[in-house]
Amino acid sequence: MKRKLTDRTIKALKPKDKAYKSADGGGLYIYVSKVGAKSWRFDYEMSGKRQTLTIGEYPSIGLSDARQAHEQAREDIIKGKDPRARNKPKYMEKSFSYYALDTNKRLDLKPSTEKKRLERLNKYLFPILDKKRVDQITAIDVLNICQPLADAGKHETARLLATYCRQTFDTLLSMQLISSNPAESISRLLPKPKRENNFAHVTSPEDFKILLNGPEQYGGDFAVIKALQFMPLVFLRPHNIRFLRWAYVDLKERLITIPADEMKMNRPHKVPLSDQAIEILKQMKKVTGRNELVFTTARAKAGKQMSENTLNVAIQRFKHPQTGEALGKGFMTSHGFRHTASTMLNEMGFNADVIEMQLAHLDKDRIRRTYNKAELMAERTSMMQGWADYLDSLKRGAAVIPIKRKA
């Protein structure tokens, strides 16, 4: 039997739009999936039916081992034995987490995305699904994990977990270790979130004044108070506030630089700091300067960020000055500060592209097409200081519109 493959040719096989085969001879071939997973397979006929034996993944099983397994399978067939009965149990010994982690490697995820994904996998999926063989995990098993989270309002987490399961079982399906994907339709079975404004925000100066004075009346953690005062000054997403590191802050240059892998547009983002923002950071430096994260709460373990809900809950507890009642849901979210800043700055007549660039909305192509400056840093610095001064005047009840400088 003439063999065709070498280790060099196998390593050179790249993923394509569709999965494909590269033959070695005698029915043995390497199967390359759309995401680049490579597995050894052997097509044969038994009892008049065409069958496929999945020998294992490459490079875990090398060329010589695959050929040895192929010869052994051919001998089984001659003796009237189905070679799949010998091979399958060994691969069923590997847990769901093994294949989930293997799937992660093939998805080429950003480090920050992979970190969040691993946290969810370890917290919700591995402890339960690793208790069963991968070919015995059912749609009900997956639904029993995702459904309670969706019912509790954690729709995004439930949806992501369903996606992780579907992707992992796709890997198992491509290796022919399972015959169907039990997570294929889970997302369609989950309850739809109620339609509501997830980024509730205010657009009137009167309502914004209530929010700006809220942190000073809030009796919570010092870091939470300062984060809420800092947020309207910098236009950062709540995630970037929660994970803001001292390593990103340059007080001397009056600048925050967030690396690309932490930004939605996957490009580094610079935030010029106003006098007011600098003062807040100096206050936090005395408290958390030895920590990695800027806004670390007193109760948090070393290096632990605020929870996703901390800032939103704090805002909901702000008191309305006229009624004395808590603002509750629907008035403002932590993400809403970005929408408010965008709306009000545009109404004030600031250059729309300067605003969008400071919000990290402009993509690289648009920046290259439009500007040949240092990312409009002078205009952005002027706007951020003018905005901070405006917020101070708004808190005092005499809103002074900042001077608009043409860019």
Side-chain angles (χ1 to χ4, degrees):
M1 181 193 311
K2 186 177 180 180
R3 298 290 189 177
K4 301 177 182 178
L5 295 176
T6 65
D7 278 316
R8 186 173 181 179
T9 58
I10 296 170
K11 290 176 182 177
L13 297 174
K14 302 298 181 184
K16 299 179 181 179
D17 291 339
K18 293 184 178 180
Y20 66 95
K21 306 175 183 179
S22 184
D24 186 49
L28 178 67
Y29 58 91
I30 195 102
Y31 177 89
V32 184
S33 73
K34 289 191 295 184
V35 296
K38 299 173 184 176
S39 57
W40 291 106
R41 298 185 182 184
F42 169 39
D43 287 344
Y44 62 96
E45 193 172 293
M46 195 167 194
S47 302
K49 294 183 179 180
R50 190 168 181 80
Q51 308 287 356
T52 298
L53 166 69
T54 299
I55 295 173
E57 295 178 88
Y58 179 88
S60 297
I61 294 182
L63 180 58
S64 61
D65 289 338
R67 286 174 176 169
Q68 184 178 346
H70 175 228
E71 294 297 341
Q72 191 174 57
R74 284 161 56 89
E75 291 178 11
D76 286 341
I77 293 169
I78 293 171
K79 295 175 182 178
K81 299 178 181 179
D82 190 336
R84 291 179 301 173
R86 179 199 298 268
N87 193 61
K88 192 169 184 178
K90 182 173 69 171
Y91 292 96
M92 290 302 118
E93 290 174 5
K94 294 181 179 178
S95 63
F96 174 86
S97 58
Y98 171 86
Y99 293 105
L101 295 173
D102 186 60
T103 300
N104 286 0
K105 294 176 185 177
R106 305 183 195 284
L107 291 176
D108 192 26
L109 303 169
K110 291 195 303 182
S112 58
T113 302
E114 184 175 16
K115 181 181 178 182
K116 293 179 196 174
R117 184 180 175 112
L118 283 172
E119 287 175 355
R120 296 187 188 102
L121 285 166
N122 281 309
K123 183 175 182 178
Y124 297 108
L125 297 180
F126 293 168
I128 297 173
L129 298 185
D130 276 359
K131 294 177 181 178
K132 301 182 78 171
R133 274 178 29 170
V134 289
D135 62 333
Q136 295 177 347
I137 297 172
T138 67
I140 295 299
D141 292 324
V142 179
L143 190 61
N144 284 342
I145 295 171
C146 299
Q147 181 87 46
L149 292 169
D151 290 342
K154 298 180 180 180
H155 298 281
E156 180 69 4
T157 300
R159 184 189 64 80
L160 288 170
L161 293 177
T163 299
Y164 302 163
C165 287
R166 178 179 54 77
Q167 291 170 334
T168 301
F169 287 120
D170 275 346
T171 297
L172 288 157
L173 198 60
S174 72
M175 297 176 65
Q176 296 189 335
L177 295 179
I178 56 176
S179 57
S180 63
N181 189 328
E184 184 63 41
S185 302
I186 294 300
S187 60
R188 293 197 290 272
L189 296 175
L190 296 174
K192 301 290 183 184
K194 294 180 180 179
R195 291 186 63 83
E196 59 182 30
N197 187 356
N198 291 327
F199 299 146
H201 63 288
V202 300
T203 55
S204 72
E206 293 77 15
D207 286 341
F208 203 19
K209 177 183 176 180
I210 294 172
L211 290 163
L212 294 172
N213 284 304
E216 295 176 6
Q217 303 161 6
Y218 175 67
D221 187 275
F222 180 76
V224 176
I225 294 172
K226 291 303 168 184
L228 290 167
Q229 291 175 338
F230 190 69
M231 188 170 286
L233 296 170
V234 291
F235 311 169
L236 287 172
R237 293 179 175 87
H239 171 84
N240 298 125
I241 296 288
R242 292 169 50 233
F243 286 87
L244 182 63
R245 288 166 165 76
W246 282 114
Y248 305 162
V249 178
D250 189 330
L251 292 175
K252 184 177 180 181
E253 295 296 324
R254 303 171 63 87
L255 194 68
I256 290 173
T257 304
I258 301 178
D261 63 4
E262 290 197 22
M263 294 301 299
K264 192 173 182 179
M265 300 297 288
N266 199 28
R267 60 185 299 271
H269 182 56
K270 296 181 184 299
V271 182
L273 296 170
S274 62
D275 294 339
Q276 292 86 335
I278 290 287
E279 179 58 29
I280 291 172
L281 289 172
K282 286 181 177 179
Q283 292 173 14
M284 287 306 305
K285 191 78 171 176
K286 297 176 182 178
V287 181
T288 65
R290 294 183 179 181
N291 299 343
E292 182 181 9
L293 299 175
V294 174
F295 296 105
T296 307
T297 62
R299 294 182 179 181
K301 296 179 181 178
K304 188 69 175 176
Q305 73 281 357
M306 291 182 190
S307 69
E308 293 184 35
N309 230 16
T310 298
L311 296 174
N312 284 331
V313 170
I315 293 171
Q316 291 166 20
R317 291 176 179 171
F318 288 177
K319 296 291 195 306
H320 194 288
Q322 295 177 355
T323 65
E325 298 293 326
L327 295 180
K329 293 183 178 180
F331 191 85
M332 184 67 152
T333 64
S334 55
H335 202 291
F337 283 111
R338 289 167 52 81
H339 294 264
T340 298
S342 176
T343 299
M344 296 181 76
L345 284 168
N346 274 289
E347 289 177 351
M348 291 172 185
F350 280 90
N351 184 301
D353 283 339
V354 175
I355 298 169
E356 292 299 288
M357 188 174 288
Q358 193 53 58
L359 288 164
H361 281 169
L362 291 187
D363 58 43
K364 294 179 182 178
D365 291 337
R366 185 174 172 189
I367 291 170
R368 280 195 294 265
R369 285 198 306 269
T370 310
Y371 301 106
N372 188 26
K373 301 179 183 178
E375 295 187 338
L376 296 174
M377 189 55 68
E379 291 84 353
R380 289 159 64 190
T381 300
S382 175
M383 180 182 72
M384 298 299 274
Q385 185 59 58
W387 173 251
D389 292 341
Y390 169 72
L391 297 188
D392 276 353
S393 67
L394 186 59
K395 286 170 66 177
R396 294 192 299 268
V400 179
I401 304 298
I403 296 173
K404 300 175 285 296
R405 299 184 183 277
K406 293 185 179 180

